[in-house]
Amino acid sequence: MNTQTTSTGQGPISRILAPIRTRLLIAATLAGIGTILTMVPLAGMAHIAQILATASNQAWELSASNERDIVWVVTGSIVSVFIGMGSMFLGELIAHLADNHLTHHLRRAVLRRLAQAPLGWFTGQTSGQVKQAMQDDIATLHSLTAHFYTAVGRALGALSISVIYLLAMDWRIAVITLLPLPGFFLFLHRLMQSSKANMGEFVIRLEHMNSAINEFISGIPDVKAFGTTGQAYRGYQDAVNSFADAFDRFTRPLVASMAHVHAMVTPVTILGLTLLCGTISVVNGWTTPVDLVPFILVAPGICAPLLLLHTLLHDLGSATGAAQRVMALLETPILQAPLSDQQPLPANNEIRFDNVSYAYDNGHRGLSNLDVTFAAGSVTAIVGPSGAGKSTLARLLLRFFDPTQGRITLGGVDLRQLSTATLYQYIGFVLQDVRLIHASIRDNIALGRPSASQQEIEDAARAANIHERILALPGGYDAVVDDATQLSGGEQQRVSIARAILLDPPLLVLDEATAAVDASSELVIQEALARLTRGRTLIVISHRLDTIRYADQILVLDDGMIVEQGNHDHLLTQHGLYARLWALSNATSTLESEVSTC
């Protein structure tokens, strides 16, 4: 997986690690020094072996100086081990504290960024994508921040001191003993290149398989009902087979390289080369057997940190992908904030669209050159076929995103000059897709007015026809909205209506508020909406034209443009799109009535 760079020339990992890079370098240095110190006893043992070999030639008589040397070597080795362990412990501690700091920093930064993101951004993202970046991907970075740098420090420390020491002992044997190392780094490089080449396809096929699994499981009831089990299973099986093929192409080139990498730096390989070269040197009289002891003790110790480094380098690809996703979240587009702290306040509740156009990221034009006024205290209905731009208009008004052209004003003030908190004091909304947060029912209702009293919350719930249902829940208003709290779609809609009632905004947007509920729930919701909309400026989006026939103004949208405008009776006389939609609505209602009487 290739690391993409930004305009600053820095990759995602470099940018993410910037706040803690100094601490990680200190941790790596301490880990390297600690590793060097813990290897001192190996050199000490080799030195003692040489002293004992000399003594064996003198009838095992140790001089006082030799005895002092042994005591000093043993003491120095013990002290070095403890200091080295302390240094490595301190390095690991610094790395883990830096990791905790980074995790805390990233999650707070992501939360701050998302708090400034337009609400429309969330409609295009699944909660799973946000959760993956905030939780899974940040957790994946743990191996990079908490372990990778210290592992590199240990590997470099062990490798550098071992090479220096062995070359000092006997450069000829050292060169032969260390021959596998260049091969190790060569195959390691090939391994990383092979991993990058096929990682993209592997990730794509994995995502397709996960989607196929979700679709297959969620569609099991419909599949069984309509007898299309074989067809649905084939789609799932094809996705699994495609992933298996991608997995095979991803892993097959790695197997041989991984086998070569591990074989080259195993202790058996290094020790075997040492003994082979040492035996030849001893037989030819180039060295003595005791001179092989440093190589036998020190050389195999290089293997462990190198193999650990190889494992962590393999994980580096995952960390790179995780860093890219986290950085993408940190670069989420944000709404333009008011330039001045002194925000102008709307003079009234009139809404005006002034030459407003909006285009989606894929280039599709949602609205084109809208000029319309929603008078204060009026009721305006917005109708049209699917995809005409009705919900886009409502979401622009709620500032889910900003227009790509023109401006929208509330009481003469551009919405972009109002903070989000101020805007939602004036505009409330009840949408088709209800979103309740993982909190108590009380907190969900008081989301817009956290300071509301219990009595005010209960009054809003009564007005929304949801008070009795809340009291029936275990815990009542303290019941937490989760899988254990069973609220139907209509009940969740009434909670959102209670939230809007409590906020008491002068302007209200209703976007298909009853489209996703059954008939019994719709009647209760309509009663609650009747209380909510009384005396307010109202903008209603509905596909059921009989519910909006008495609106003061009806806007008919088609292909992002207003094609008709007027009241119900006027539009029927035009024999245009509205008249056709009205006729279709009547025909549908008649058919439903006939079906219900059967």
Side-chain angles (χ1 to χ4, degrees), residues 13 16-18 20-21 23-25 27-28 91-103 106 137-151 312 316 319:
I13 288 182
I16 279 183
L17 297 184
I20 61 170
R21 185 177 292 112
R23 275 175 278 185
L24 291 179
L25 292 176
E92 294 290 346
L93 178 63
I94 291 174
H96 278 78
L97 289 176
D99 173 64
N100 287 338
H101 172 80
L102 181 66
T103 299
L106 286 178
D137 289 335
I138 291 178
T140 299
L141 293 174
H142 169 79
S143 62
L144 175 68
T145 54
H147 301 292
F148 181 75
Y149 276 77
T150 52
L312 291 174
L316 189 59

Side-chain angles (χ1 to χ4, degrees), residues 426-579:
Y426 285 87
I427 303 178
F429 55 91
V430 179
L431 306 180
Q432 175 182 345
D433 297 325
V434 181
R435 291 289 184 267
L436 300 182
I437 63 173
H438 183 74
S440 68
I441 298 291
R442 176 190 295 105
D443 291 338
N444 269 278
I445 294 176
L447 193 61
R449 275 185 60 197
S451 61
S453 67
Q454 180 65 26
Q455 187 60 49
E456 290 174 319
I457 292 172
E458 291 184 9
D459 289 343
R462 287 190 182 91
N465 291 335
I466 194 62
H467 175 69
E468 299 298 330
R469 177 68 180 98
I470 294 174
L471 292 181
L473 294 172
Y477 281 86
D478 292 321
V480 176
V481 177
D482 55 19
D483 294 337
T485 303
Q486 298 296 325
L487 290 176
S488 67
E491 289 165 349
Q492 292 184 45
Q493 189 69 278
R494 279 179 275 160
V495 171
S496 71
I497 293 172
R499 180 190 296 166
I501 291 174
L502 183 63
L503 189 59
D504 194 27
L507 193 149
L508 190 63
V509 178
L510 304 179
D511 185 2
E512 302 281 13
T514 62
V517 298
D518 55 36
S520 60
S521 296
E522 181 178 6
L523 178 60
V524 179
I525 292 174
Q526 290 286 10
E527 293 175 355
L529 289 175
R531 300 188 188 98
L532 173 61
T533 58
R534 194 172 296 131
R536 306 176 196 276
T537 302
L538 188 62
I539 299 175
V540 183
I541 297 174
S542 178
H543 69 285
R544 300 186 57 174
L545 302 189
D546 57 319
T547 64
I548 52 90
R549 62 182 300 178
Y550 298 110
D552 301 315
Q553 174 182 229
I554 299 175
L555 304 180
V556 184
L557 294 186
D558 191 22
D559 196 23
M561 297 182 290
I562 298 176
V563 294
E564 295 178 35
Q565 183 175 352
N567 59 32
H568 172 75
D569 294 331
H570 170 73
L571 292 175
L572 285 181
T573 64
Q574 301 301 306
H575 303 292
L577 178 57
Y578 181 81

